[in-house]
Amino acid sequence: MRNASRPVVSFIFCVSVFSSMSFVSRAGAQTTDTIGVRALGMGGAFTAVADDATASWWNPAGMAGGAYFNALIEGGSHQDPSSERTAAGDAQSAWRAETRSFAVAFPALGLSAYRLRISEIQPQTTTATASGVRQDGGATEVRLRSLVLTQFGASVGQSLGSHVVLGSTFKLVRAGAASQVTAAATGSLDAAGSIDPSGETHVGLDIGAMASLGPARVGVMVRNVKQPEFNSGGDTFALTRTVRLGVAVSSGTRGVIGAATAAVDADLTTAATVFGDERRFATGGELWTSARTFGVRGGVSVNTIGSRRTALSGGLSAAVKRGVYADGELTGGTDQGRKGWSVGLRVTF
């Protein structure tokens, strides 16, 4: 019993250290659940799952419980609202995130490249009465803003006994933002996306831990330990520290994700987004056929502070041939900025 308790004590110590690190300064700056077709299909409940190549983003300690080889290429787009114009044809605030991912992972090493472009449009001048009735065309100008982030990472893992794994992603991050004001009639998200900001390059670090106890896994992820700051063209922003905790139960053995999985995730920090502060709670599940030729997943993610916003997700995987899968997901619900889709091709052996 004494030996069996050591992994649990070690993991609790890791969680305590990581959590204390997170409150050195206010967390925020970007949402974490934007990468990974499987992860998004499960509503973002993936910190304790993270058994494919996106573990480099979600929790590098999860690579130890994955396949011997895993590679994927993915892309997606999420936007709110679906149109940047009102029914009257006036410009309104809108936001779109486009992601591209490539990652390769072995049980103890991962290499990854992620690209995120955020395009925004926001009305600047309105002419309305106190009752809110539009007088002459609503906004006359809009501000267009584009933020581009490219991350190259190398992930490694280290076992602490037979139950606990620590992982880290050392990353090179190049990011920049730029904005401009233009006439409302010509402003659009496509125009915002065409802005090419100059960027700065900084070194970053993510740290994760995973504990496996029979069919259960507990994971914790600390993103942006170094909190790099970027300043380009007057648009200053930081990738601030965030912490996320997850628990998963699976039909697999010895910490390996099996054919049936249920998971929950919870943010331990508050993140600042373009729609306001948020702290998310997510739950999701995944189910595979016995031959692993077809998989289905679903999930729910809720913002637990401020305005309650709910995202509903679903996803499918189909084997193109042995070890090669086509993945897809759709996200809807009342959550601003999370409605959209992503697709990917994954190779695993």
Side-chain angles (χ1 to χ4, degrees), residues 7 9 20 40 44 49 66-67 74 84 101 117 132-133 137 149-150 187-188 220 228 238 242 261 285 288-289 297 320:
V9 173
S20 65
L40 293 175
V49 179
E74 298 179 343
E84 60 235 46
S101 309
R117 176 183 284 274
V133 178
L149 182 149
T150 303
S188 67
V220 62
T242 61
T261 303
W288 287 88
T289 59
R297 57 192 64 91
V320 179

Side-chain angles (χ1 to χ4, degrees), residues 95-98 116-120 145-148 192 274:
W95 178 91
R96 180 169 66 201
E98 298 170 290
L116 170 66
R117 176 183 284 274
I118 296 177
S119 306
E120 300 174 20
R145 185 172 186 264
S146 178
L147 184 151
V148 179
V274 294

Side-chain angles (χ1 to χ4, degrees), residues 64-270:
Y68 177 75
F69 174 81
N70 193 285
L72 54 81
I73 182 169
E74 298 179 343
S77 178
H78 294 77
Q79 176 178 329
D80 187 85
S82 58
S83 173
E84 60 235 46
R85 300 280 172 179
T86 66
D90 299 327
Q92 63 178 338
S93 297
W95 178 91
R96 180 169 66 201
E98 298 170 290
T99 58
R100 302 291 183 268
S101 309
F102 174 76
V104 179
F106 298 91
L109 174 66
L111 299 174
S112 57
Y114 301 110
R115 180 178 174 83
L116 170 66
R117 176 183 284 274
I118 296 177
S119 306
E120 300 174 20
I121 179 173
Q122 184 176 13
Q124 293 294 290
T125 306
T126 58
T127 53
T129 67
S131 62
V133 178
R134 180 170 51 90
Q135 293 297 305
D136 38 64
T140 59
E141 292 182 329
V142 293
R143 177 174 293 276
L144 307 179
R145 185 172 186 264
S146 178
L147 184 151
V148 179
L149 182 149
T150 303
Q151 172 182 311
F152 299 96
S155 304
V156 294
Q158 175 64 51
S159 297
L160 299 180
S162 59
H163 296 278
V164 177
V165 178
L166 297 181
S168 57
T169 297
F170 300 90
K171 56 189 183 181
L172 196 64
V173 182
R174 182 169 181 79
S179 61
Q180 65 183 45
V181 176
T182 187
T186 60
S188 67
L189 286 175
D190 289 338
S194 67
I195 300 174
D196 189 17
S198 59
E200 296 181 350
T201 302
H202 292 279
V203 175
L205 174 66
D206 299 337
I207 300 176
M210 189 81 76
S212 301
L213 299 171
R217 306 206 323 177
V218 181
V220 62
M221 177 65 169
V222 182
R223 191 182 310 278
N224 300 317
V225 174
K226 294 176 63 65
Q227 302 189 110
E229 295 185 1
F230 300 85
N231 187 340
S232 60
D235 285 89
T236 301
F237 62 95
L239 303 182
T240 52
R241 193 176 298 127
T242 61
V243 182
R244 195 173 179 108
L245 179 68
V247 179
V249 178
S250 178
S251 61
T253 58
R254 295 182 61 83
V256 177
I257 297 299
T261 303
V264 295
D265 265 32
D267 288 333
L268 302 184
T269 52
T270 300

Side-chain angles (χ1 to χ4, degrees), residues 48-64:
V49 179
D51 65 335
D52 62 22
T54 61
S56 57
W57 180 273
W58 281 92
N59 187 348
M63 293 187 304

